[in-house]
Amino acid sequence: MKILIIGAGAREHAICWKICQSSSTHTLFIAPGNAGTALLGENVLLDPLDFNKVGQFCLEQNIELVFVGPEEPLVLGIYDHFKSTKELQNIIITGPGKEGAQLEGSKSFAKKFMKKYGIPTAAFAEFHSASFDEGCAYIQSHSLPIVLKADGLAAGKGVLICTTHNEAINEFSSILKDKKFGDAGNKVVVEEFLTGVELSVFLLTDGTNYLLLPEAKDYKKIGQQDTGPNTGGMGAISPVPFATEHFMLKVKEKIIVPTLSGLRTENIEYSGFIFLGLIKVNDEPFVIEYNCRLGDPETETILLRLKNDLVQLLKGMATGNLAEQEIMIDKKSAATIVAVSGGYPGHIEKGKQIDFNYLENPQAIKHIDEAGGGVTVFHAATIQKNTEVLTNGGRVLTASALSDSLPEALELCIETLSQIHFEGMYYRPDIGYEFVD
Ligand code: AMP
Ligand code: GLY
């Protein structure tokens, strides 16, 4: 099968890697990809937001399946473009459509949806420029900390946790009046702060049935012991010790089932992934956010534990036969540690040469096999220039490992990263710290 993968991160490299484990052989194209994906397929210079060009490419190359990695093309309607264009209609494409993608693309939509369908989430109110004064009064009388969320996509920066009323009012004003996040901040959701532990839960749905993928815990803060500013994700582990069977049953009953039935009641056809950003408060799950895609670095972690053929799952998603498939999860532990450029998540410099000391072919590392596990490297912001691989952004690459225990998986990641070098390279050696003695 000819498959196009849209995106450029370690998530997309991991998707390519997983597809290469399929029982059948597939030809991969990645738009735009990175130096790692280029080793598994052909990188193509396509703008993922130029749907006409993407569609044209698919027709020229006889692409049969499109995997959409990041949220932006989904929120802007790439799925709808394919389904409403006669020649592209029969290509399998991971959704959802624009309507369903609002679960991620509009915090306001997601919060109202949860309220309507009784899905546990933090208490909230919503304001826009016409209700600015009302919003200020609401904030002044709200308990601290207080959470402000820009309604639209803001490159992961649209959530602000404020510890004083002054700070909250200033931020509220800079979003609504100074347009700090542009049009994404035309509305602001003001939310109660929840205290608990976070968990990422992933499901694949064909609109009627769903399959639960392995869960993961993402480490978002730049500093050790979860300190400092938020990042796109510095590492992840799976399984998550507190995601017990009992807790996951509550997630299914209180969150997954009402979410899917709510979508159906709203007449929103949804085929694709739902990524639930959850928080466990006193043993009860609450939704912090919905995403309409897989997470990064969670994907690099959970795919190591997924034994299914990913292509079969994606076909099932499109044909509505997910009920006939069963998820098979490796009991071993998986971990990912992300290596980032110096200065990240602030200002970074690109173009640093990456020295993969450990082997001539960085992709070849110890292959992850079903029996023993192993470790691999997924590229994120990397670019090939002649014979060199250079850094090309904040999150540069990951080491991702599968082993009998979490400490062993983490050790494999650290051992691998200790052999890779680029100027300014930084990673958190304490990923998973709260679960390791
Ligand atoms: P997001 O950009 O939506 O992923 O949010 C970033 C992070 O902000 C989440 O992963 C949480 O750690 C935190 N967060 C968002 N909403 C809340 C909330 N209501 N209570 C506590 N933390 C929150
Ligand atoms: N790791 C969080 C995300 O992908 O949004």
Side-chain angles (χ1 to χ4, degrees), residues 96-108:
K98 206 171 177 171
E99 263 196 304
Q102 286 185 89
L103 281 182
E104 175 163 5
S106 166
K107 302 273 188 210
S108 157

Side-chain angles (χ1 to χ4, degrees), residues 107 147 149 159 161 191-194 198 220 288-289:
K107 302 273 188 210
V147 185
K149 296 185 172 180
V159 174
I161 295 169
E191 197 173 280
E192 165 201 21
F193 180 83
L194 298 175
E198 288 180 52
K220 286 201 169 77
I288 291 270
E289 60 170 358

Side-chain angles (χ1 to χ4, degrees), residues 11 71 104 200 202 218-220 231-233 235 275 289 291 293-298 395:
R11 169 182 52 206
E71 62 279 12
E104 175 163 5
S200 303
F202 302 94
D218 173 22
Y219 291 78
K220 286 201 169 77
T231 69
F275 159 7
E289 60 170 358
N291 297 291
R293 54 173 171 88
L294 287 176
D296 189 347
E298 290 97 326
R395 291 195 291 173

Side-chain angles (χ1 to χ4, degrees), residues 101-219:
Q102 286 185 89
L103 281 182
E104 175 163 5
S106 166
K107 302 273 188 210
S108 157
F109 174 89
K111 294 297 284 191
K112 286 184 199 146
F113 177 87
M114 287 187 267
K115 193 172 173 187
K116 184 166 176 186
Y117 293 101
I119 297 162
T121 189
F124 73 102
E126 167 188 319
F127 303 95
H128 41 90
S129 48
S131 52
F132 180 78
D133 292 342
E134 205 186 309
C136 290
Y138 181 86
I139 290 171
Q140 281 295 359
S141 63
H142 200 288
S143 59
L144 294 171
I146 185 166
V147 185
L148 306 185
K149 296 185 172 180
D151 176 48
L153 293 183
K157 296 192 169 65
V159 174
L160 303 163
I161 295 169
C162 304
T163 49
T164 67
H165 289 115
N166 260 352
E167 182 193 356
I169 300 277
N170 287 339
E171 293 290 3
F172 185 65
S173 172
S174 65
I175 303 173
L176 278 181
K177 296 212 152 153
D178 309 335
K179 298 274 170 219
K180 175 175 177 170
F181 299 120
D183 285 346
N186 285 348
K187 281 189 219 164
V188 176
V189 168
V190 180
E191 197 173 280
E192 165 201 21
F193 180 83
L194 298 175
T195 305
V197 280
E198 288 180 52
L199 175 70
S200 303
V201 168
F202 302 94
L203 41 129
L204 177 64
T205 178
D206 56 21
T208 310
N209 316 289
Y210 76 92
L211 293 172
L212 201 56
L213 302 175
E215 80 286 352
K217 184 172 193 298
D218 173 22
Y219 291 78

